[in-house]
Amino acid sequence: MSKWSPRQLATAAIIAALYTVMSLMSSVFGLTYGPIQCRFSEALTVLPFFLPEAVPGLFVGCLVTNLMSTVGPLDIVIGSMATLLAALWTAKMPNKWLAPLPPVICNAVLIGAMIAWYETGFSAQFPALFAYNAVTVGIGEAVACYVLGLLLLTILPRIPALRGRLTLRA
């Protein structure tokens, strides 16, 4: 891994701060934690498609956000790791139309399972509750990533100050 420039480190820090603030904005509407969630900040999870430094920024931002989670330590670890996994996977996507898919899948599966386990443990109700949570979390994630995230992927390359800084792909 090569050293990152001060600009890249600052970009990662800004993304972390934006993720945290946007998550807190979602919490005002009760959309940040729980089985029905649509964190506005999740739109930022498409940024690794263009910016490698978004990966640690998203992880740190999610970690800070999850320190305030109603689920507790489980969300701090699993929720933050789901975002890290999604960010790493997003960076490998071949085109912008697939870039939102990793966060949707990672969050639907990992967060859906975490919430189901938190509510029932591995009881007989776990499979049904997991299915419900995976669908509801996945829908919220799809809205954030495919609506707001794709909007970001479309608009960012058009900003003159960002030209030359973004890794442009098909």
Side-chain angles (χ1 to χ4, degrees):
M1 185 163 130
S2 64
K3 283 189 171 186
W4 283 9
S5 70
R7 174 183 246 173
Q8 288 173 308
L9 291 173
T11 301
I14 289 167
I15 290 169
L18 274 171
Y19 186 99
T20 303
V21 169
M22 291 173 72
S23 292
L24 292 175
M25 285 175 37
S26 297
S27 70
V28 170
F29 302 105
L31 298 172
T32 301
Y33 308 105
I36 298 176
Q37 57 179 269
C38 184
R39 289 183 181 183
F40 305 138
S41 54
E42 287 297 303
L44 300 176
T45 60
V46 301
L47 292 179
F49 181 74
F50 286 142
L51 297 165
E53 59 267 31
V55 173
L58 290 167
F59 174 69
V60 170
C62 186
L63 181 66
V64 169
T65 297
N66 289 340
L67 288 172
M68 298 172 259
S69 173
T70 56
V71 181
L74 199 56
D75 197 18
I76 294 168
V77 174
I78 294 175
S80 302
M81 294 310 291
T83 297
L84 179 60
L85 177 63
L88 290 167
W89 190 8
T90 298
K92 304 288 185 201
M93 287 292 104
N95 64 60
K96 76 176 185 179
W97 304 106
L98 292 175
L101 189 59
V104 173
I105 292 171
C106 290
N107 281 282
V109 173
L110 295 173
I111 303 306
M114 179 194 67
I115 294 170
W117 182 86
Y118 181 74
E119 293 178 359
T120 66
F122 289 121
S123 68
Q125 294 87 14
F126 179 83
L129 198 54
F130 167 67
Y132 170 77
N133 288 324
V135 168
T136 59
V137 169
I139 289 170
E141 193 72 14
V143 168
C145 295
Y146 272 99
V147 175
L148 300 174
L150 275 178
L151 186 61
L152 270 176
L153 290 178
T154 302
I155 292 172
L156 288 177
R158 296 178 184 169
I159 298 173
L162 294 177
R163 288 195 189 123
R165 290 218 346 110
L166 303 177
T167 305
L168 297 178
R169 293 181 258 169

PDB file of all heavy atoms in Angstrom, residues 20-57:
ATOM      1  N   THR A  20     -20.944  10.685   9.406  1.00  0.00           N
ATOM      2  CA  THR A  20     -21.461  10.795  10.770  1.00  0.00           C
ATOM      3  C   THR A  20     -22.570  11.836  10.860  1.00  0.00           C
ATOM      4  O   THR A  20     -23.641  11.572  11.414  1.00  0.00           O
ATOM      5  CB  THR A  20     -20.320  11.144  11.752  1.00  0.00           C
ATOM      6  OG1 THR A  20     -19.305  10.134  11.646  1.00  0.00           O
ATOM      7  CG2 THR A  20     -20.819  11.220  13.174  1.00  0.00           C
ATOM      8  N   VAL A  21     -22.348  13.011  10.306  1.00  0.00           N
ATOM      9  CA  VAL A  21     -23.352  14.080  10.363  1.00  0.00           C
ATOM     10  C   VAL A  21     -24.617  13.677   9.612  1.00  0.00           C
ATOM     11  O   VAL A  21     -25.736  13.891  10.102  1.00  0.00           O
ATOM     12  CB  VAL A  21     -22.773  15.403   9.806  1.00  0.00           C
ATOM     13  CG1 VAL A  21     -23.852  16.450   9.596  1.00  0.00           C
ATOM     14  CG2 VAL A  21     -21.696  15.936  10.745  1.00  0.00           C
ATOM     15  N   MET A  22     -24.457  13.079   8.445  1.00  0.00           N
ATOM     16  CA  MET A  22     -25.633  12.658   7.680  1.00  0.00           C
ATOM     17  C   MET A  22     -26.405  11.550   8.406  1.00  0.00           C
ATOM     18  O   MET A  22     -27.632  11.506   8.342  1.00  0.00           O
ATOM     19  CB  MET A  22     -25.217  12.219   6.276  1.00  0.00           C
ATOM     20  CG  MET A  22     -24.742  13.378   5.412  1.00  0.00           C
ATOM     21  SD  MET A  22     -24.056  12.841   3.824  1.00  0.00           S
ATOM     22  CE  MET A  22     -25.547  12.336   2.974  1.00  0.00           C
ATOM     23  N   SER A  23     -25.709  10.680   9.101  1.00  0.00           N
ATOM     24  CA  SER A  23     -26.382   9.638   9.891  1.00  0.00           C
ATOM     25  C   SER A  23     -27.162  10.256  11.039  1.00  0.00           C
ATOM     26  O   SER A  23     -28.285   9.842  11.344  1.00  0.00           O
ATOM     27  CB  SER A  23     -25.374   8.632  10.445  1.00  0.00           C
ATOM     28  OG  SER A  23     -24.801   7.887   9.408  1.00  0.00           O
ATOM     29  N   LEU A  24     -26.567  11.251  11.681  1.00  0.00           N
ATOM     30  CA  LEU A  24     -27.262  11.929  12.769  1.00  0.00           C
ATOM     31  C   LEU A  24     -28.505  12.647  12.251  1.00  0.00           C
ATOM     32  O   LEU A  24     -29.532  12.694  12.932  1.00  0.00           O
ATOM     33  CB  LEU A  24     -26.324  12.891  13.487  1.00  0.00           C
ATOM     34  CG  LEU A  24     -25.197  12.225  14.276  1.00  0.00           C
ATOM     35  CD1 LEU A  24     -24.240  13.266  14.847  1.00  0.00           C
ATOM     36  CD2 LEU A  24     -25.744  11.344  15.375  1.00  0.00           C
ATOM     37  N   MET A  25     -28.426  13.193  11.037  1.00  0.00           N
ATOM     38  CA  MET A  25     -29.608  13.812  10.428  1.00  0.00           C
ATOM     39  C   MET A  25     -30.701  12.768  10.222  1.00  0.00           C
ATOM     40  O   MET A  25     -31.875  13.032  10.477  1.00  0.00           O
ATOM     41  CB  MET A  25     -29.247  14.468   9.086  1.00  0.00           C
ATOM     42  CG  MET A  25     -28.487  15.760   9.224  1.00  0.00           C
ATOM     43  SD  MET A  25     -27.934  16.478   7.643  1.00  0.00           S
ATOM     44  CE  MET A  25     -29.242  16.125   6.518  1.00  0.00           C
ATOM     45  N   SER A  26     -30.322  11.580   9.766  1.00  0.00           N
ATOM     46  CA  SER A  26     -31.299  10.499   9.578  1.00  0.00           C
ATOM     47  C   SER A  26     -31.929  10.096  10.902  1.00  0.00           C
ATOM     48  O   SER A  26     -33.108   9.732  10.950  1.00  0.00           O
ATOM     49  CB  SER A  26     -30.632   9.272   8.951  1.00  0.00           C
ATOM     50  OG  SER A  26     -30.130   9.556   7.682  1.00  0.00           O
ATOM     51  N   SER A  27     -31.149  10.160  11.985  1.00  0.00           N
ATOM     52  CA  SER A  27     -31.677   9.734  13.285  1.00  0.00           C
ATOM     53  C   SER A  27     -32.759  10.677  13.793  1.00  0.00           C
ATOM     54  O   SER A  27     -33.621  10.266  14.567  1.00  0.00           O
ATOM     55  CB  SER A  27     -30.562   9.576  14.313  1.00  0.00           C
ATOM     56  OG  SER A  27     -30.033  10.826  14.676  1.00  0.00           O
ATOM     57  N   VAL A  28     -32.750  11.926  13.348  1.00  0.00           N
ATOM     58  CA  VAL A  28     -33.812  12.863  13.709  1.00  0.00           C
ATOM     59  C   VAL A  28     -35.159  12.321  13.229  1.00  0.00           C
ATOM     60  O   VAL A  28     -36.184  12.512  13.866  1.00  0.00           O
ATOM     61  CB  VAL A  28     -33.535  14.265  13.102  1.00  0.00           C
ATOM     62  CG1 VAL A  28     -34.731  15.187  13.242  1.00  0.00           C
ATOM     63  CG2 VAL A  28     -32.298  14.884  13.745  1.00  0.00           C
ATOM     64  N   PHE A  29     -35.146  11.626  12.110  1.00  0.00           N
ATOM     65  CA  PHE A  29     -36.366  11.046  11.543  1.00  0.00           C
ATOM     66  C   PHE A  29     -36.562   9.586  11.948  1.00  0.00           C
ATOM     67  O   PHE A  29     -37.452   8.920  11.437  1.00  0.00           O
ATOM     68  CB  PHE A  29     -36.335  11.158  10.011  1.00  0.00           C
ATOM     69  CG  PHE A  29     -36.185  12.571   9.525  1.00  0.00           C
ATOM     70  CD1 PHE A  29     -34.979  13.020   9.020  1.00  0.00           C
ATOM     71  CD2 PHE A  29     -37.247  13.459   9.595  1.00  0.00           C
ATOM     72  CE1 PHE A  29     -34.827  14.320   8.584  1.00  0.00           C
ATOM     73  CE2 PHE A  29     -37.109  14.771   9.165  1.00  0.00           C
ATOM     74  CZ  PHE A  29     -35.893  15.204   8.656  1.00  0.00           C
ATOM     75  N   GLY A  30     -35.695   9.074  12.824  1.00  0.00           N
ATOM     76  CA  GLY A  30     -35.802   7.689  13.283  1.00  0.00           C
ATOM     77  C   GLY A  30     -35.395   6.679  12.230  1.00  0.00           C
ATOM     78  O   GLY A  30     -35.845   5.531  12.249  1.00  0.00           O
ATOM     79  N   LEU A  31     -34.500   7.064  11.314  1.00  0.00           N
ATOM     80  CA  LEU A  31     -34.135   6.199  10.191  1.00  0.00           C
ATOM     81  C   LEU A  31     -32.716   5.652  10.262  1.00  0.00           C
ATOM     82  O   LEU A  31     -32.253   5.049   9.301  1.00  0.00           O
ATOM     83  CB  LEU A  31     -34.307   6.967   8.873  1.00  0.00           C
ATOM     84  CG  LEU A  31     -35.712   7.442   8.549  1.00  0.00           C
ATOM     85  CD1 LEU A  31     -35.695   8.342   7.317  1.00  0.00           C
ATOM     86  CD2 LEU A  31     -36.630   6.263   8.333  1.00  0.00           C
ATOM     87  N   THR A  32     -32.009   5.867  11.356  1.00  0.00           N
ATOM     88  CA  THR A  32     -30.599   5.471  11.408  1.00  0.00           C
ATOM     89  C   THR A  32     -30.382   4.072  11.945  1.00  0.00           C
ATOM     90  O   THR A  32     -29.502   3.355  11.488  1.00  0.00           O
ATOM     91  CB  THR A  32     -29.799   6.493  12.235  1.00  0.00           C
ATOM     92  OG1 THR A  32     -29.951   7.774  11.614  1.00  0.00           O
ATOM     93  CG2 THR A  32     -28.333   6.154  12.297  1.00  0.00           C
ATOM     94  N   TYR A  33     -31.148   3.647  12.918  1.00  0.00           N
ATOM     95  CA  TYR A  33     -30.962   2.350  13.551  1.00  0.00           C
ATOM     96  C   TYR A  33     -32.270   1.569  13.487  1.00  0.00           C
ATOM     97  O   TYR A  33     -33.342   2.144  13.395  1.00  0.00           O
ATOM     98  CB  TYR A  33     -30.540   2.518  15.020  1.00  0.00           C
ATOM     99  CG  TYR A  33     -29.352   3.441  15.207  1.00  0.00           C
ATOM    100  CD1 TYR A  33     -29.521   4.730  15.708  1.00  0.00           C
ATOM    101  CD2 TYR A  33     -28.074   3.036  14.871  1.00  0.00           C
ATOM    102  CE1 TYR A  33     -28.449   5.578  15.875  1.00  0.00           C
ATOM    103  CE2 TYR A  33     -26.990   3.879  15.034  1.00  0.00           C
ATOM    104  CZ  TYR A  33     -27.177   5.148  15.533  1.00  0.00           C
ATOM    105  OH  TYR A  33     -26.106   5.984  15.695  1.00  0.00           O
ATOM    106  N   GLY A  34     -32.168   0.247  13.553  1.00  0.00           N
ATOM    107  CA  GLY A  34     -33.362  -0.583  13.612  1.00  0.00           C
ATOM    108  C   GLY A  34     -33.680  -1.283  12.305  1.00  0.00           C
ATOM    109  O   GLY A  34     -32.974  -1.127  11.308  1.00  0.00           O
ATOM    110  N   PRO A  35     -34.756  -2.075  12.294  1.00  0.00           N
ATOM    111  CA  PRO A  35     -35.080  -2.880  11.121  1.00  0.00           C
ATOM    112  C   PRO A  35     -35.538  -2.056   9.916  1.00  0.00           C
ATOM    113  O   PRO A  35     -35.369  -2.471   8.782  1.00  0.00           O
ATOM    114  CB  PRO A  35     -36.196  -3.809  11.598  1.00  0.00           C
ATOM    115  CG  PRO A  35     -36.755  -3.161  12.808  1.00  0.00           C
ATOM    116  CD  PRO A  35     -35.657  -2.337  13.411  1.00  0.00           C
ATOM    117  N   ILE A  36     -36.137  -0.903  10.158  1.00  0.00           N
ATOM    118  CA  ILE A  36     -36.531  -0.032   9.046  1.00  0.00           C
ATOM    119  C   ILE A  36     -35.640   1.193   9.135  1.00  0.00           C
ATOM    120  O   ILE A  36     -35.785   2.026  10.016  1.00  0.00           O
ATOM    121  CB  ILE A  36     -38.024   0.335   9.124  1.00  0.00           C
ATOM    122  CG1 ILE A  36     -38.849  -0.937   9.022  1.00  0.00           C
ATOM    123  CG2 ILE A  36     -38.381   1.333   8.029  1.00  0.00           C
ATOM    124  CD1 ILE A  36     -40.325  -0.762   9.175  1.00  0.00           C
ATOM    125  N   GLN A  37     -34.677   1.241   8.221  1.00  0.00           N
ATOM    126  CA  GLN A  37     -33.705   2.325   8.256  1.00  0.00           C
ATOM    127  C   GLN A  37     -33.346   2.764   6.854  1.00  0.00           C
ATOM    128  O   GLN A  37     -33.363   1.973   5.912  1.00  0.00           O
ATOM    129  CB  GLN A  37     -32.449   1.932   9.032  1.00  0.00           C
ATOM    130  CG  GLN A  37     -31.736   0.698   8.505  1.00  0.00           C
ATOM    131  CD  GLN A  37     -30.495   0.389   9.300  1.00  0.00           C
ATOM    132  OE1 GLN A  37     -29.416   0.854   8.953  1.00  0.00           O
ATOM    133  NE2 GLN A  37     -30.628  -0.415  10.351  1.00  0.00           N
ATOM    134  N   CYS A  38     -33.061   4.035   6.730  1.00  0.00           N
ATOM    135  CA  CYS A  38     -32.577   4.594   5.470  1.00  0.00           C
ATOM    136  C   CYS A  38     -31.643   5.736   5.843  1.00  0.00           C
ATOM    137  O   CYS A  38     -32.040   6.888   5.906  1.00  0.00           O
ATOM    138  CB  CYS A  38     -33.734   5.085   4.594  1.00  0.00           C
ATOM    139  SG  CYS A  38     -33.179   5.674   2.982  1.00  0.00           S
ATOM    140  N   ARG A  39     -30.401   5.367   6.129  1.00  0.00           N
ATOM    141  CA  ARG A  39     -29.408   6.381   6.472  1.00  0.00           C
ATOM    142  C   ARG A  39     -29.070   7.166   5.213  1.00  0.00           C
ATOM    143  O   ARG A  39     -28.619   6.599   4.221  1.00  0.00           O
ATOM    144  CB  ARG A  39     -28.131   5.734   6.999  1.00  0.00           C
ATOM    145  CG  ARG A  39     -28.234   5.123   8.357  1.00  0.00           C
ATOM    146  CD  ARG A  39     -26.881   4.585   8.803  1.00  0.00           C
ATOM    147  NE  ARG A  39     -26.974   3.977  10.114  1.00  0.00           N
ATOM    148  CZ  ARG A  39     -25.943   3.472  10.765  1.00  0.00           C
ATOM    149  NH1 ARG A  39     -24.742   3.489  10.209  1.00  0.00           N
ATOM    150  NH2 ARG A  39     -26.114   2.938  11.951  1.00  0.00           N
ATOM    151  N   PHE A  40     -29.235   8.485   5.271  1.00  0.00           N
ATOM    152  CA  PHE A  40     -28.859   9.323   4.134  1.00  0.00           C
ATOM    153  C   PHE A  40     -27.368   9.148   3.834  1.00  0.00           C
ATOM    154  O   PHE A  40     -26.946   9.209   2.685  1.00  0.00           O
ATOM    155  CB  PHE A  40     -29.151  10.797   4.418  1.00  0.00           C
ATOM    156  CG  PHE A  40     -30.570  11.087   4.815  1.00  0.00           C
ATOM    157  CD1 PHE A  40     -30.852  11.973   5.830  1.00  0.00           C
ATOM    158  CD2 PHE A  40     -31.638  10.476   4.164  1.00  0.00           C
ATOM    159  CE1 PHE A  40     -32.157  12.252   6.201  1.00  0.00           C
ATOM    160  CE2 PHE A  40     -32.949  10.747   4.527  1.00  0.00           C
ATOM    161  CZ  PHE A  40     -33.208  11.644   5.547  1.00  0.00           C
ATOM    162  N   SER A  41     -26.599   8.915   4.887  1.00  0.00           N
ATOM    163  CA  SER A  41     -25.153   8.765   4.758  1.00  0.00           C
ATOM    164  C   SER A  41     -24.756   7.576   3.895  1.00  0.00           C
ATOM    165  O   SER A  41     -23.663   7.550   3.333  1.00  0.00           O
ATOM    166  CB  SER A  41     -24.529   8.611   6.140  1.00  0.00           C
ATOM    167  OG  SER A  41     -25.156   7.544   6.834  1.00  0.00           O
ATOM    168  N   GLU A  42     -25.618   6.588   3.778  1.00  0.00           N
ATOM    169  CA  GLU A  42     -25.285   5.407   2.984  1.00  0.00           C
ATOM    170  C   GLU A  42     -25.123   5.732   1.504  1.00  0.00           C
ATOM    171  O   GLU A  42     -24.527   4.965   0.756  1.00  0.00           O
ATOM    172  CB  GLU A  42     -26.319   4.307   3.190  1.00  0.00           C
ATOM    173  CG  GLU A  42     -26.219   3.628   4.542  1.00  0.00           C
ATOM    174  CD  GLU A  42     -24.901   2.892   4.746  1.00  0.00           C
ATOM    175  OE1 GLU A  42     -24.570   2.000   3.929  1.00  0.00           O
ATOM    176  OE2 GLU A  42     -24.197   3.192   5.716  1.00  0.00           O
ATOM    177  N   ALA A  43     -25.612   6.882   1.075  1.00  0.00           N
ATOM    178  CA  ALA A  43     -25.374   7.319  -0.306  1.00  0.00           C
ATOM    179  C   ALA A  43     -23.872   7.477  -0.556  1.00  0.00           C
ATOM    180  O   ALA A  43     -23.393   7.265  -1.673  1.00  0.00           O
ATOM    181  CB  ALA A  43     -26.093   8.633  -0.587  1.00  0.00           C
ATOM    182  N   LEU A  44     -23.129   7.792   0.485  1.00  0.00           N
ATOM    183  CA  LEU A  44     -21.680   7.985   0.357  1.00  0.00           C
ATOM    184  C   LEU A  44     -20.940   6.672   0.133  1.00  0.00           C
ATOM    185  O   LEU A  44     -19.778   6.683  -0.268  1.00  0.00           O
ATOM    186  CB  LEU A  44     -21.129   8.677   1.607  1.00  0.00           C
ATOM    187  CG  LEU A  44     -21.696  10.053   1.935  1.00  0.00           C
ATOM    188  CD1 LEU A  44     -21.125  10.559   3.259  1.00  0.00           C
ATOM    189  CD2 LEU A  44     -21.424  11.043   0.814  1.00  0.00           C
ATOM    190  N   THR A  45     -21.597   5.539   0.383  1.00  0.00           N
ATOM    191  CA  THR A  45     -20.898   4.250   0.246  1.00  0.00           C
ATOM    192  C   THR A  45     -20.537   3.916  -1.194  1.00  0.00           C
ATOM    193  O   THR A  45     -19.817   2.959  -1.428  1.00  0.00           O
ATOM    194  CB  THR A  45     -21.716   3.094   0.867  1.00  0.00           C
ATOM    195  OG1 THR A  45     -22.973   2.988   0.200  1.00  0.00           O
ATOM    196  CG2 THR A  45     -21.905   3.304   2.354  1.00  0.00           C
ATOM    197  N   VAL A  46     -21.007   4.706  -2.147  1.00  0.00           N
ATOM    198  CA  VAL A  46     -20.611   4.498  -3.545  1.00  0.00           C
ATOM    199  C   VAL A  46     -19.299   5.213  -3.868  1.00  0.00           C
ATOM    200  O   VAL A  46     -18.715   4.976  -4.927  1.00  0.00           O
ATOM    201  CB  VAL A  46     -21.717   4.955  -4.530  1.00  0.00           C
ATOM    202  CG1 VAL A  46     -23.012   4.194  -4.287  1.00  0.00           C
ATOM    203  CG2 VAL A  46     -21.943   6.452  -4.457  1.00  0.00           C
ATOM    204  N   LEU A  47     -18.832   6.079  -2.991  1.00  0.00           N
ATOM    205  CA  LEU A  47     -17.632   6.871  -3.271  1.00  0.00           C
ATOM    206  C   LEU A  47     -16.362   6.066  -3.535  1.00  0.00           C
ATOM    207  O   LEU A  47     -15.515   6.516  -4.304  1.00  0.00           O
ATOM    208  CB  LEU A  47     -17.390   7.892  -2.148  1.00  0.00           C
ATOM    209  CG  LEU A  47     -18.420   9.011  -2.055  1.00  0.00           C
ATOM    210  CD1 LEU A  47     -18.079   9.936  -0.882  1.00  0.00           C
ATOM    211  CD2 LEU A  47     -18.515   9.792  -3.354  1.00  0.00           C
ATOM    212  N   PRO A  48     -16.177   4.877  -2.936  1.00  0.00           N
ATOM    213  CA  PRO A  48     -14.964   4.125  -3.271  1.00  0.00           C
ATOM    214  C   PRO A  48     -14.867   3.762  -4.758  1.00  0.00           C
ATOM    215  O   PRO A  48     -13.778   3.445  -5.240  1.00  0.00           O
ATOM    216  CB  PRO A  48     -15.072   2.861  -2.417  1.00  0.00           C
ATOM    217  CG  PRO A  48     -15.892   3.289  -1.247  1.00  0.00           C
ATOM    218  CD  PRO A  48     -16.892   4.263  -1.820  1.00  0.00           C
ATOM    219  N   PHE A  49     -15.966   3.833  -5.471  1.00  0.00           N
ATOM    220  CA  PHE A  49     -15.921   3.607  -6.920  1.00  0.00           C
ATOM    221  C   PHE A  49     -14.996   4.620  -7.583  1.00  0.00           C
ATOM    222  O   PHE A  49     -14.303   4.301  -8.547  1.00  0.00           O
ATOM    223  CB  PHE A  49     -17.336   3.692  -7.508  1.00  0.00           C
ATOM    224  CG  PHE A  49     -17.387   3.446  -8.986  1.00  0.00           C
ATOM    225  CD1 PHE A  49     -17.231   2.163  -9.488  1.00  0.00           C
ATOM    226  CD2 PHE A  49     -17.574   4.493  -9.868  1.00  0.00           C
ATOM    227  CE1 PHE A  49     -17.266   1.928 -10.861  1.00  0.00           C
ATOM    228  CE2 PHE A  49     -17.616   4.267 -11.242  1.00  0.00           C
ATOM    229  CZ  PHE A  49     -17.458   2.987 -11.741  1.00  0.00           C
ATOM    230  N   PHE A  50     -14.973   5.856  -7.060  1.00  0.00           N
ATOM    231  CA  PHE A  50     -14.139   6.934  -7.600  1.00  0.00           C
ATOM    232  C   PHE A  50     -12.910   7.241  -6.759  1.00  0.00           C
ATOM    233  O   PHE A  50     -11.894   7.667  -7.277  1.00  0.00           O
ATOM    234  CB  PHE A  50     -14.932   8.245  -7.685  1.00  0.00           C
ATOM    235  CG  PHE A  50     -15.935   8.322  -8.784  1.00  0.00           C
ATOM    236  CD1 PHE A  50     -17.144   8.947  -8.563  1.00  0.00           C
ATOM    237  CD2 PHE A  50     -15.691   7.802 -10.045  1.00  0.00           C
ATOM    238  CE1 PHE A  50     -18.087   9.053  -9.567  1.00  0.00           C
ATOM    239  CE2 PHE A  50     -16.627   7.895 -11.053  1.00  0.00           C
ATOM    240  CZ  PHE A  50     -17.828   8.523 -10.814  1.00  0.00           C
ATOM    241  N   LEU A  51     -13.034   7.104  -5.441  1.00  0.00           N
ATOM    242  CA  LEU A  51     -11.998   7.572  -4.523  1.00  0.00           C
ATOM    243  C   LEU A  51     -11.566   6.464  -3.558  1.00  0.00           C
ATOM    244  O   LEU A  51     -12.316   6.107  -2.653  1.00  0.00           O
ATOM    245  CB  LEU A  51     -12.524   8.746  -3.687  1.00  0.00           C
ATOM    246  CG  LEU A  51     -12.910  10.015  -4.419  1.00  0.00           C
ATOM    247  CD1 LEU A  51     -13.743  10.920  -3.511  1.00  0.00           C
ATOM    248  CD2 LEU A  51     -11.669  10.741  -4.887  1.00  0.00           C
ATOM    249  N   PRO A  52     -10.367   5.930  -3.699  1.00  0.00           N
ATOM    250  CA  PRO A  52      -9.902   4.886  -2.772  1.00  0.00           C
ATOM    251  C   PRO A  52      -9.900   5.344  -1.317  1.00  0.00           C
ATOM    252  O   PRO A  52     -10.151   4.556  -0.410  1.00  0.00           O
ATOM    253  CB  PRO A  52      -8.486   4.574  -3.242  1.00  0.00           C
ATOM    254  CG  PRO A  52      -8.359   5.156  -4.598  1.00  0.00           C
ATOM    255  CD  PRO A  52      -9.380   6.235  -4.726  1.00  0.00           C
ATOM    256  N   GLU A  53      -9.630   6.628  -1.086  1.00  0.00           N
ATOM    257  CA  GLU A  53      -9.577   7.128   0.290  1.00  0.00           C
ATOM    258  C   GLU A  53     -10.946   7.167   0.966  1.00  0.00           C
ATOM    259  O   GLU A  53     -11.049   7.374   2.181  1.00  0.00           O
ATOM    260  CB  GLU A  53      -8.913   8.511   0.356  1.00  0.00           C
ATOM    261  CG  GLU A  53      -9.583   9.586  -0.456  1.00  0.00           C
ATOM    262  CD  GLU A  53      -9.014   9.746  -1.858  1.00  0.00           C
ATOM    263  OE1 GLU A  53      -8.552   8.752  -2.445  1.00  0.00           O
ATOM    264  OE2 GLU A  53      -9.041  10.872  -2.367  1.00  0.00           O
ATOM    265  N   ALA A  54     -11.992   6.924   0.204  1.00  0.00           N
ATOM    266  CA  ALA A  54     -13.329   6.857   0.790  1.00  0.00           C
ATOM    267  C   ALA A  54     -13.485   5.614   1.664  1.00  0.00           C
ATOM    268  O   ALA A  54     -14.290   5.612   2.600  1.00  0.00           O
ATOM    269  CB  ALA A  54     -14.394   6.866  -0.299  1.00  0.00           C
ATOM    270  N   VAL A  55     -12.720   4.563   1.400  1.00  0.00           N
ATOM    271  CA  VAL A  55     -12.857   3.311   2.159  1.00  0.00           C
ATOM    272  C   VAL A  55     -12.609   3.544   3.658  1.00  0.00           C
ATOM    273  O   VAL A  55     -13.495   3.266   4.479  1.00  0.00           O
ATOM    274  CB  VAL A  55     -11.956   2.192   1.588  1.00  0.00           C
ATOM    275  CG1 VAL A  55     -11.974   0.971   2.482  1.00  0.00           C
ATOM    276  CG2 VAL A  55     -12.380   1.838   0.162  1.00  0.00           C
ATOM    277  N   PRO A  56     -11.443   4.065   4.070  1.00  0.00           N
ATOM    278  CA  PRO A  56     -11.270   4.296   5.511  1.00  0.00           C
ATOM    279  C   PRO A  56     -12.193   5.388   6.042  1.00  0.00           C
ATOM    280  O   PRO A  56     -12.631   5.336   7.195  1.00  0.00           O
ATOM    281  CB  PRO A  56      -9.797   4.676   5.658  1.00  0.00           C
ATOM    282  CG  PRO A  56      -9.384   5.151   4.311  1.00  0.00           C
ATOM    283  CD  PRO A  56     -10.223   4.384   3.323  1.00  0.00           C
ATOM    284  N   GLY A  57     -12.505   6.376   5.224  1.00  0.00           N
ATOM    285  CA  GLY A  57     -13.413   7.439   5.650  1.00  0.00           C
ATOM    286  C   GLY A  57     -14.785   6.901   5.997  1.00  0.00           C
ATOM    287  O   GLY A  57     -15.372   7.258   7.026  1.00  0.00           O
TER     288      GLY A  57
END
